[in-house]
Every structure is written in C-alpha cells, then in structure tokens.
C-alpha cells in the first residue's frame, strides 16, 4: 500500500461493510464507537455502554445476563496516554501530504470530509492539512446501535 487513495478506500470499505452488516438486523446487540470519541469522552461512553448492556439484558430473555458488567473496563493502551494515539505520526503525515498532492486523493478526502465525517462526528474544520482529527462534542457517544441504526443516506454515501 503505497498509494494514499488505497488507504482512504480501505477506510471507506471498512465502514461500509461493517455498517451494512449491522443494518441487516442479523446482529442483536452492538455499539459502534470511534476510538477518538472513546478517548476524549471515555466516562460518558462507558456509562452509555453500561446502560445499554443493563437495559438489553433486562429486556431480552435471549441475551445472556451480564452479571459482572461492573468488572468490565474499556482499556485504552494501558500505561500510556491514549490521546497520544490521536496525533498522526510521521509516516501518516507523509502519506497525508502525498494524498493532498494527488488530485484524485485530495478530491476523495474533500468528499469524505464533506459527506461522511459529519455523520460520524469527525471534522477537519476547513483545513485538511495533516493534524489530529477532531470529534464534535455531540458525537461523544455511541454512534450506532440497534436503536440508532446508520442512516440510509450514510450507507448510500459509503
């Protein structure tokens, strides 16, 4: 993988495949959370996930009871500062700059920034130069679950 377009296409395909699979209704329980929002809004997301598990385990007799849910933790690179993983490393910056120089890659990144990122909480502001992607505060939550399925619009754009 030397072409930055490949990385963008793989990223898009991963999201598309996962969300389409989840939207079929064949998966009973799921929660889609971005790593970035988990790092920035860890406590609120942990509380939301715990509440989802409690409600699901009480309301669905086919769902196994999670008696030890209080003992589960969301580990984020234990022993390290997890927010350091949000900053692009040198190789990523090099690839990002290479993308900006290629017309097709730059156009694809602009399209993603305009049409996909807003629906999953990411934003690059008006600057697509290499930097940490930000998460809008109102997206510091579970993005998708059985009760919050991905929109048809998002699935079509992916």
């Amino acid at each position: 993988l030397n072409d930055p377009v490949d990385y963008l296409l793989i990223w898009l395909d991963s999201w598309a495949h996962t969300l389409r699979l989840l939207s079929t209704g064949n998966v009973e329980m799921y929660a889609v959370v971005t790593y970035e929002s988990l790092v920035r809004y860890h406590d609120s997301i942990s509380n939301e996930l715990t509440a989802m598990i409690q409600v699901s385990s009480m309301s669905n007799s086919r769902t196994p009871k999670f008696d030890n849910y209080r003992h589960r933790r969301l580990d984020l690179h234990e022993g390290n500062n997890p927010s350091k993983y949000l900053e692009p490393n040198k190789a990523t910056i090099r690839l990002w700059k290479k993308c900006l120089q290629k017309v097709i890659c730059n156009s694809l990144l602009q399209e993603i920034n305009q049409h996909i990122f807003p629906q999953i909480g990411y934003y690059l502001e008006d600057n697509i130069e290499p930097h940490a992607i930000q998460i809008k505060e109102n997206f510091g939550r579970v993005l998708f679950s059985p009760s919050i399925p991905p929109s048809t619009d998002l699935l079509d754009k992916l």
Side-chain angles (χ1 to χ4, degrees):
L1 290 174
N2 290 327
D3 191 345
V5 174
D6 292 339
Y7 286 96
L8 289 177
L9 293 175
I10 290 169
W11 183 88
L12 284 170
D13 284 346
S14 298
W15 273 96
H17 176 74
T18 302
L19 294 181
R20 284 190 183 107
L21 179 65
L22 294 174
S23 68
T24 64
N26 292 330
V27 179
E28 282 184 44
M29 283 183 49
Y30 67 89
V32 176
V33 178
T34 62
Y35 179 80
E36 295 85 355
S37 63
L38 186 56
V39 168
R40 296 199 193 285
Y41 306 104
H42 184 267
D43 292 341
S44 64
I45 289 176
S46 294
N47 291 337
E48 186 177 2
L49 291 172
T50 299
M52 285 176 67
I53 291 169
Q54 287 175 326
V55 167
S56 179
S57 66
M58 287 187 289
S59 65
N60 188 348
S61 61
R62 294 184 311 164
T63 304
K65 301 292 183 212
F66 292 96
D67 295 330
N68 64 345
Y69 71 89
R70 287 185 199 105
H71 303 290
R72 304 273 303 154
R73 291 185 359 183
L74 297 172
D75 293 321
L76 303 169
H77 300 286
E78 197 167 321
N80 294 322
N81 175 6
S83 62
K84 80 177 188 179
Y85 296 98
L86 300 180
E87 294 295 325
N89 60 30
K90 289 178 185 178
T92 302
I93 290 171
R94 206 171 21 256
L95 196 60
W96 196 329
K97 286 181 177 180
K98 189 176 175 183
C99 176
L100 294 177
Q101 293 171 355
K102 295 182 81 167
V103 173
I104 191 165
C105 192
N106 194 329
S107 294
L108 182 57
L109 185 56
Q110 295 286 351
E111 286 291 313
I112 292 169
N113 192 37
Q114 251 181 352
H115 301 289
I116 307 296
F117 279 180
Q119 296 194 54
I120 57 175
Y122 293 141
Y123 70 96
L124 289 174
E125 300 160 347
D126 292 330
N127 176 9
I128 61 169
E129 290 298 316
H131 65 286
I133 293 176
Q134 302 299 311
I135 295 290
K136 293 182 180 180
E137 188 172 344
N138 59 332
F139 281 88
R141 58 175 170 72
V142 170
L143 292 177
F144 308 110
S145 69
S147 60
I148 312 167
S151 70
T152 306
D153 180 55
L154 176 59
L155 293 173
D156 290 344
K157 288 179 179 171
L158 285 169

